Amino acid sequence: MLLEQGTTLRALEPCARHSLRAPLRSCLLQDEQFADLADMSLSGDITVEGEITVPVGAPSPDEDFSTLDEPVRETIMRDLKAVGKKFVHVMYPKKSSTLLRDWDLWGPLVLCVSLALMLQGGSADSKEDGGPQFAEVFVIIWFGAVVITLNSKLLGGTISFFQSLCVLGYCVLPLTVAMLVCRLVLLAGAGTISFVVRLLVVLAMFAWSTLASTAFLADSQPPNRKALVVYPIFLFYFVISWMILTFTPQ
Amino acid sequence: ASKAFSLYANIDILRPYFDVEPAQVRARLLESMIPVKMVNFPQKIAGELYGPLMLVFTLVAILLHGMKTSDTIIREGTLMGTAIGTCFGYWLGVSSFIYFLAYLCNAQITMVQMLSLLGYGLFGHCITLFVTYNIHFHSLFYIFWLGVGGLSTLRMVAVLVSRTVGHTQRLILCGTLAALHMLFLLYLHFAYHKVVEGILDTLEGPNVPPFQRVARDIPVVSNALLNTTAKAAALTL
């Protein structure tokens, strides 16, 4: 189908509104504007299947796709849903690129803050403010993530800085769950059994974190250097697990 | 945006130092424990930063683990800072100091090579501390200190000797490095050892640690603890 120069897509308006399951030619023939084109010879009916979204009409001001006019609740819910979807991806690590493509740092921030808050209130001596300080946990998590990212980039990784930060932050989720469980177990008492239970839970979550982040990050490395990237991630989650395991409440 | 760009440009400066394969790292770790006898020809040092950096972080992790299992009475908040500060301070500080001495003694070694050499020398420290933090025998520690620590020190000394000319220079450089390296291991083991209340009780025992570290961050330090620590130090000297 030949269009003369200058024919705008606007002329196709009527046709675009039909779902293009009918052969294109017959669709065109229904419109008088294209009556002249009916004389064109086509080798056959060109059946076009599927749906084509053609930008119909000029963008009118009312239909502007801007998020400024939508209610605040919608904006927040959209971001929350994105964060929630990523949480699910972390808990069931499949090889998907959602975490990498739409990176955001909300989830890591929430996890980091909640972990740091839960690590407060522990002490070695009742007179002192035991437990790692809030700022300490914060700095360790973010500084550790930055170091790992730099390391993987220096080893020739193809992942971007913030994508890597995003993945490492989200994979702290199992450890936050472990912290929650530890606190609950410690409510019941702080004996040997509770220590063993906490140890097992923390070990399991540590393995889960490391495996989840490896599943996302290792693909972006040259294949023979995967071990070099996995080791610092292992150390990083080890330090966080150590902080969780050694937490003793007042 | 130009600032971010310059950050990436700086990262690229470090890129060639991270160009390693896992097999190479493994080989270098093992080599760091084997002193090479050949001192007439300058020995090759790989100027690589991945292995040393990972070893420093591993040392930090081991120290954290050890501090916890030995119930060091410091506020937990500063355990992390202390461990990171100690390890990185040692690696960077002693490397710079030895590099400076090497410059004075006309040794042929670059800063990156020195960082790399000392970093791999920490492998011996890592092994020793990992084993002795879990098995608490003083005699075992001394065996490991001499054996493992000694081997890694000998390797570094051999490399430096092969790159320095003149007996005095060799003595200064290698003596300093050996002393610092071995003393660091000693410090790590005993400084993070138990700081028990009843230190007077252990004074009568045969295996008294030579010195105790008084944690600098305890705000409410009982006078008794200070006194007993001073007594122990005075009695062993």
Side-chain angles (χ1 to χ4, degrees):
Chain A
M1 180 181 78
L2 288 171
L3 287 178
E4 286 172 357
Q5 198 143 25
T7 314
T8 61
L9 281 176
R10 189 184 275 276
L12 284 178
E13 259 183 73
C15 283
R17 278 198 232 110
H18 299 282
S19 80
L20 292 174
R21 296 209 187 274
L24 192 60
R25 190 176 168 213
S26 59
C27 165
L28 285 172
L29 287 173
Q30 288 162 21
D31 199 342
E32 303 117 11
Q33 292 177 339
F34 291 96
D36 299 335
L37 292 175
D39 298 331
M40 276 189 351
S41 59
L42 293 168
S43 51
D45 281 341
I46 306 168
T47 313
V48 177
E49 288 262 340
E51 287 168 351
I52 305 176
T53 51
V54 177
V56 285
S60 58
D62 298 338
E63 294 170 349
D64 235 358
F65 185 64
S66 91
T67 56
L68 213 54
D69 295 330
E70 62 181 9
V72 172
R73 200 179 79 95
E74 224 175 275
T75 315
I76 294 180
M77 284 314 291
R78 186 174 51 235
D79 282 334
L80 277 180
K81 279 206 195 97
V83 169
K85 219 161 45 155
K86 293 208 189 75
F87 278 158
V88 170
H89 273 288
V90 169
M91 292 313 272
Y92 300 105
K94 296 186 290 267
K95 290 211 195 305
S96 82
S97 58
T98 315
L99 217 68
L100 292 180
R101 219 181 25 224
D102 313 315
W103 62 265
D104 76 272
L105 293 177
W106 281 115
L109 181 68
V110 164
L111 287 173
C112 185
V113 167
S114 57
L115 190 61
L117 282 177
M118 283 196 277
L119 279 170
Q120 296 304 300
S123 70
D125 184 18
S126 58
K127 292 192 207 122
E128 300 165 9
D129 182 20
Q133 304 297 315
F134 183 92
E136 195 123 5
V137 177
F138 218 81
V139 163
I140 284 174
I141 291 183
W142 289 102
F143 179 69
V146 165
V147 166
I148 294 178
T149 308
L150 284 179
N151 175 59
S152 78
K153 283 193 81 63
L154 283 169
L155 283 172
T158 55
I159 202 171
S160 96
F161 184 72
F162 284 110
Q163 281 172 344
S164 173
L165 273 188
C166 168
V167 169
L168 287 168
Y170 270 105
C171 290
V172 171
L173 176 67
L175 287 170
T176 313
V177 169
M179 182 72 219
L180 205 60
V181 170
C182 283
R183 275 220 99 140
L184 293 173
V185 168
L186 280 169
L187 280 178
T192 318
I193 299 181
S194 95
F195 177 72
V196 169
V197 167
R198 279 185 295 137
L199 179 69
L200 289 175
V201 167
V202 169
L203 273 180
M205 291 300 163
F206 161 63
W208 198 336
S209 280
T210 314
L211 285 174
S213 60
T214 312
F216 288 114
L217 287 180
D219 281 340
S220 63
Q221 291 294 322
N224 50 340
R225 291 192 183 175
K226 286 208 169 73
L228 295 184
V229 174
V230 169
Y231 182 66
I233 299 180
F234 170 84
L235 272 184
F236 174 61
Y237 288 128
F238 175 79
V239 169
I240 300 182
S241 315
W242 173 86
M243 278 198 288
I244 292 175
L245 192 59
T246 58
F247 171 77
T248 47
Q250 243 167 345
Chain B
S2 58
K3 235 173 108 178
F5 220 51
S6 60
L7 175 69
Y8 274 113
N10 287 338
I11 291 179
D12 276 330
I13 294 177
L14 291 175
R15 205 177 277 269
Y17 302 127
F18 280 74
D19 191 15
V20 287
E21 308 288 320
Q24 280 178 318
V25 175
R26 219 181 2 245
R28 283 178 194 158
L29 281 176
L30 291 174
E31 271 172 16
S32 73
M33 300 302 296
I34 306 173
V36 178
K37 277 279 168 58
M38 173 185 67
V39 293
N40 297 321
F41 191 76
Q43 295 181 20
K44 193 173 178 315
I45 312 174
E48 168 225 335
L49 288 180
Y50 173 82
L53 200 63
M54 288 307 124
L55 279 171
V56 173
F57 280 124
T58 311
L59 192 61
V60 170
I62 294 177
L63 279 181
L64 288 177
H65 168 66
M67 279 197 272
K68 200 53 202 174
T69 56
S70 69
D71 296 326
T72 314
I73 304 178
I74 309 181
R75 274 192 305 181
E76 269 210 48
T78 56
L79 276 182
M80 220 83 63
T82 319
I84 294 181
T86 312
C87 296
F88 268 98
Y90 175 75
W91 184 48
L92 294 171
V94 171
S95 287
S96 317
F97 180 62
I98 300 289
Y99 177 66
F100 169 67
L101 277 185
Y103 172 74
L104 289 180
C105 299
N106 278 331
Q108 288 169 347
I109 194 167
T110 68
M111 185 64 191
V112 173
Q113 283 175 330
M114 190 59 227
L115 281 171
S116 180
L117 193 65
L118 194 63
Y120 275 113
L122 287 174
F123 182 54
H125 284 19
C126 285
I127 298 179
T128 312
L129 291 172
F130 183 66
V131 170
T132 53
Y133 275 151
N134 292 318
I135 311 172
H136 291 281
F137 283 124
H138 276 295
S139 42
L140 181 70
F141 168 71
Y142 285 122
I143 294 173
F144 264 87
W145 179 60
L146 282 176
V148 177
L151 271 181
S152 76
T153 312
L154 273 177
R155 160 145 178 96
M156 290 199 295
V157 160
V159 169
L160 280 178
V161 161
S162 75
R163 288 171 165 257
T164 320
V165 183
H167 284 294
T168 324
Q169 286 94 328
R170 281 177 175 180
L171 198 62
I172 296 175
L173 202 56
C174 302
T176 325
L177 181 61
L180 285 173
H181 204 66
M182 300 296 274
L183 283 178
F184 185 57
L185 185 54
L186 212 59
Y187 169 73
L188 284 180
H189 181 85
F190 290 115
Y192 297 157
H193 215 61
K194 264 195 204 292
V195 178
V196 291
E197 296 288 333
I199 194 168
L200 273 171
D201 297 338
T202 66
L203 272 179
E204 280 82 25
N207 291 328
V208 178
F211 50 81
Q212 296 287 338
R213 171 171 176 240
V214 177
R216 54 187 161 84
D217 284 307
I218 298 182
V220 182
V221 179
S222 60
N223 284 334
L225 189 57
L226 266 179
N227 284 342
T228 52
T229 314
K231 268 190 207 149
L235 274 168
T236 50
L237 278 172

